[in-house]
Every structure is written in structure tokens, then in C-alpha cells.
Amino acid sequence: MNGYWNGPKPEPQVRTIEEMREVLADPGCTSDQPLYFMYRDLARNESDREWLRQHHVRYDITVIPARTLCGEYVKTKGHYHTENPAGAPYPEIYEVLLGTGHFLLQTRNADDVVMIEGTPGDKILIPPGYGHVTINPGTEDLVMANLVSSEFASDYGPYADLQGAAYYEMEGGALVKNPRYPDAPPVRYCSPVEVPDLGIEKGVGLYDLIGRPRSVAFLNHPEQFAEIFADVTGGCLVMR
């Protein structure tokens, strides 16, 4: 995280091969190295921390080293989000700080599967109802920040039950379909989105949204901001 975080740095949560085995293309793969590091609930100072707490928002940084596991690029475990009191699943937003990230999104029944590539400065919006896995397909560390409601919880169960997402990304970029999703459609390739009305755009870091209540309100009340999710759920602005 050196160079990407200038505030207090807690000990990270470390994801190991044993915690990931159930979602790998090859569950028998072995590794004696940590797979990725999660720095949760960050704030540069107490004033920022109090603002985040009052607005029920959390800022995190995740670092995924560039590696492969038996031919599969290293990835996060994958999870869905729980619902808010209005019955809408919580969304999430990411910012790539270093490297290249492939964000693989899917609905709970995997009738829509979306891949979004992000490079430094890009923002990737996870719409309500979509689970997601982040993959490092590059040759350098992937460092990414995220903002999410502090009221949400991660549901890893569906990914664990089906041995990962609908597709595995293998070394060289090949997407291999997970046979446990026989009805999953081909992957849609989409571009990162910008929402200038909320201050979500190139040149504005996610941490810069602290102090802007309207810019983060969608994280707790997605039902009031349905229009900002249309680029993913409605077909994407750009198909590649």
C-alpha cells in the first residue's frame, strides 16, 4: 500500500489458499503464499473516520499480487451483498489505484454475467443484486479501493456452493465456463462508468467523496438512485 495510503494502516486480513480452495478452478491447487490482503475501515484522520461512521460508509483497500494458481489468475473469493431495510441489495464501488483489474459480475441466478476491466483511476460500480469477483490478470500488484455501506454483509455461500463464479479466467486471458452454471450466458464486456452528477469521475478519487453526503448516499439507499445502475444492468454504454 506504500504510495497509495498515507493514513494509519492496520494489520490486513490475509486470504490464504485454504480459504479459497472451494472457489478455484482446481481445488487441489497448493500455495504457501498469501493470495491477497484486505485493509478494512480506513480513515486518514479522526474527522474523516467520524464522517464515515455518521454516514454508514466504509473505505477499504485490497492488494492482489500478480500470480497464477494452477493456471488460473489470482482472484478474490466472490460474494453477494445483503439487502438494506428497504429490501434493495447494497451496491459497492471500486477504484483501481495500481495495475489492471478484471471485475466479473453476475446476478444470483447467473442469467447475466459482466466483465469490466479497470485501470488506474477507473471506477467500477457493483449494482444491487450482482455478486462479484475481482481478478488480477496483470504482471504487477492490483491495488484497489472501495466504498461500501458499513451496514452490509458479504454472502460468500453461493460462490462456495458452486465452486466459484460462472467463469474462471485462466493464464493468457481465456475464460473457461464453470460447468456448475450450465445455463450461464456468454460474458458481456463493459466499460467502467462515470456519474459526474455524484462526483464519480476520472480525476476524483473515492476518498475525495468523503465530506460529500450526496455522493455516497446511493451506497445505503440504492432504491433512490436506480438510474445510476443502468449502464451495467441495461446493456452498458460501451461493448467491446
Side-chain angles (χ1 to χ4, degrees), residues 144-181:
M144 57 186 182
N146 69 277
L147 284 174
V148 70
S149 170
S150 58
E151 305 300 307
F152 103 111
S154 298
D155 181 4
Y156 298 99
Y159 282 93
D161 292 344
L162 294 174
Q163 199 178 320
Y167 289 85
Y168 305 110
E169 186 169 7
M170 310 304 289
E171 190 171 9
L175 290 179
V176 176
K177 191 173 184 178
N178 182 340
R180 292 156 192 81
Y181 295 85

Side-chain angles (χ1 to χ4, degrees), residues 81 90-95 103-105 114 116 122-128 130-132 147 190-195 198 200 206 209 215 218-219 222 225-233:
H81 294 185
Y90 288 103
E92 189 166 6
I93 188 167
Y94 284 85
E95 177 188 8
F103 295 79
L104 185 63
L105 285 59
V114 174
I116 304 172
D122 285 337
K123 315 300 187 302
I124 290 82
L125 194 58
I126 312 299
Y130 281 74
H132 55 101
L147 284 174
C190 306
S191 294
V193 299
E194 295 187 12
V195 190
L198 297 183
I200 299 169
L206 289 187
L209 301 184
S215 293
F218 75 95
L219 294 169
F225 295 85
E227 70 282 359
I228 75 170
F229 303 113
D231 290 340
V232 173
T233 58

